[in-house]
Amino acid sequence: MPELNVNPQSFDKKQLMLSVEEAQARILEAILPITTKERVGLRQGLGRILADPLLARMDVPSHRNSAMDGYAFRHIDTDIHKAFYVAGVSMAGHPFHDSLDIGQCIRIMTGAVVPADADTVVMQEHVSREGDIMTLQRIPIPGANVRHPGEDLCTGDAVLPAGRKLNAADLGVLASQGIGEVDVLRRPRVAFFSTGDELKGIGEVLQPGDVYDSNRYTLFGMLNKLDVDILDLGVIPDQQEAVEHAFAQASQLADVVITSGGVSVGDADYVTDTLRKTGTVDFWKIAVKPGKPLAFGKLNDRCLFFGLPGNPVSVMATFLLFTRAAILKLRGETMIELPEYSAICDTPLQKAPGRKDYQRGVCHLDVRGQWHVRSTGMQGSHILSSMSTANCFIALPLLAGDVNAGEIVNIIPFHELL
């Protein structure tokens, strides 16, 4: 990863803020995807990143088979025959092995082998039958309802490319090739913790000034969507030795370390001092709301570090905008952009120019397929319940001002993000 040369001690609080796009680009440029492979069973490959391209080992289907329940026969025989003698049956897994004479057919089921001397299958709905005699009520075109070897995949075809995130259909395709194990990229290991004497765990008694630590739970939920190995290191007290130990432990165990709160330049705490000692870290101001302060860099020359703001909505927004894409690139994914759509804003929105604003909204599609969105209400970065109520961000441009009801805005749905 390239060196990040900004010295936190010389940070100028009046420096120009980075745009969201500039910060995203800088982060992604610094990420090198994991290349370590591991072999897993096919079912365990779901959601993993394929390490190497896979070629077809065999034709699929491997034999001619019927697409319908019906009767298989030679189409040329229909020139003189409308009634056929049923000489046998072909069922899936139980082929008909004899030869067909002129004017003969076989009963055949979906997926069953079509005999070599038959070329057409008529649907059972288009015939009548009495005893061993089948009579055509409708003559199909030659070759109807017959599937041929290799129609799906031919031996040597490219099946899946390297870097593919394996989905349910992919597992089926690989199974059709008889592939029971796949080589995938190792999952990133992500460690996270919170710092602060005021933070308490669930079940602890709150004293005046204390709050329950919600950020570790929202981070866990968002990380869990990314299919990474998660290490929750808990709440670290405001003690120099404890903070230094937490960073040392996390940087040895993980590929990525995430903290929430306590890393703004000038903070009188041990986090910033520890970062100066153990890593190369940029402290940025980003023209974004909620959010703004962000620390990004690496610890011990190998472990990526993200210091997110402390307010609960800010930590979620900055994770989704900056950390998520970095982790996806690290794990080898190619589709990392957040989905964005145009929507009619049904409620007025307040916004001051100067920062790109991600307000919480509730979106829906109308009967014509047009997106609509409304605000969840108060937009303070401490109002975590607004993220629970919302199902999207309303992304308002850097220089935009207030939005009137009826105007077009961009939205980022939370589907599969939260």
Side-chain angles (χ1 to χ4, degrees), residues 187-248:
R187 288 189 181 102
R189 294 182 287 267
V190 182
F192 62 98
F193 57 86
S194 302
T195 62
D197 291 339
E198 79 283 6
L199 299 176
K200 302 301 178 186
I202 295 172
E204 294 186 76
V205 177
L206 296 182
Q207 302 298 327
D210 289 344
V211 295
Y212 288 121
D213 179 18
S214 63
N215 287 341
R216 283 177 29 250
Y217 291 88
T218 55
L219 283 171
F220 170 82
M222 293 184 293
L223 286 168
N224 202 48
K225 289 285 187 178
L226 304 184
D227 191 35
V228 297
D229 291 332
I230 302 172
L231 295 85
D232 182 352
L233 300 184
V235 176
I236 308 303
D238 285 328
Q239 300 170 9
Q240 183 168 354
E241 185 175 319
V243 171
E244 291 182 356
H245 175 75
F247 273 97

Side-chain angles (χ1 to χ4, degrees), residues 385-398:
S385 61
S386 66
M387 286 295 292
S388 180
T389 301
N391 63 5
C392 70
F393 277 137
I394 307 171
L396 304 178
L398 184 78

Side-chain angles (χ1 to χ4, degrees), residues 69-241:
D69 288 350
Y71 294 84
F73 59 94
R74 280 186 296 264
H75 195 275
I76 195 172
D77 289 357
T78 60
D79 291 344
I80 55 175
H81 292 275
K82 297 297 183 290
F84 289 76
Y85 175 75
V86 181
V89 178
S90 181
M91 302 181 69
H94 301 280
F96 174 79
H97 294 292
D98 295 334
S99 298
L100 291 179
D101 292 332
I102 295 173
Q104 288 186 341
C105 68
I106 62 164
R107 179 79 167 111
I108 195 166
M109 306 302 176
T110 302
V113 173
V114 176
D117 45 10
D119 59 17
T120 302
V121 172
V122 62
M123 298 170 57
Q124 62 185 14
E125 293 87 349
H126 296 164
V127 307
S128 61
R129 180 170 173 177
E130 291 186 14
D132 291 333
I133 302 300
M134 179 275 290
T135 302
L136 295 172
Q137 303 297 321
R138 184 184 303 177
I139 299 176
I141 63 173
N145 303 316
V146 176
R147 301 165 175 161
H148 295 276
E151 280 189 352
D152 188 358
L153 291 170
C154 289
T155 303
D157 281 354
V159 178
L160 295 173
R164 171 84 169 189
K165 183 179 180 180
L166 296 174
N167 60 32
D170 298 333
L171 298 192
V173 169
L174 296 178
S176 77
Q177 289 290 308
I179 295 173
E181 294 182 327
V182 289
D183 289 331
V184 295
L185 297 179
R186 176 179 65 78
R187 288 189 181 102
R189 294 182 287 267
V190 182
F192 62 98
F193 57 86
S194 302
T195 62
D197 291 339
E198 79 283 6
L199 299 176
K200 302 301 178 186
I202 295 172
E204 294 186 76
V205 177
L206 296 182
Q207 302 298 327
D210 289 344
V211 295
Y212 288 121
D213 179 18
S214 63
N215 287 341
R216 283 177 29 250
Y217 291 88
T218 55
L219 283 171
F220 170 82
M222 293 184 293
L223 286 168
N224 202 48
K225 289 285 187 178
L226 304 184
D227 191 35
V228 297
D229 291 332
I230 302 172
L231 295 85
D232 182 352
L233 300 184
V235 176
I236 308 303
D238 285 328
Q239 300 170 9
Q240 183 168 354
E241 185 175 319

Side-chain angles (χ1 to χ4, degrees), residues 24-43:
Q24 289 170 333
R26 287 194 190 187
I27 291 169
L28 291 179
E29 286 171 5
I31 306 297
L32 294 176
I34 289 171
T35 57
T36 306
K37 306 174 187 179
E38 58 185 20
R39 180 159 292 190
V40 299
L42 186 56
R43 289 181 176 176

Side-chain angles (χ1 to χ4, degrees), residues 271-292:
V271 172
T272 303
D273 289 340
T274 303
L275 290 174
R276 289 171 182 159
K277 293 177 183 178
T278 63
T280 306
V281 179
D282 252 339
F283 291 82
W284 294 342
K285 285 185 177 179
I286 302 175
V288 65
K289 183 179 180 182
K292 190 175 178 181

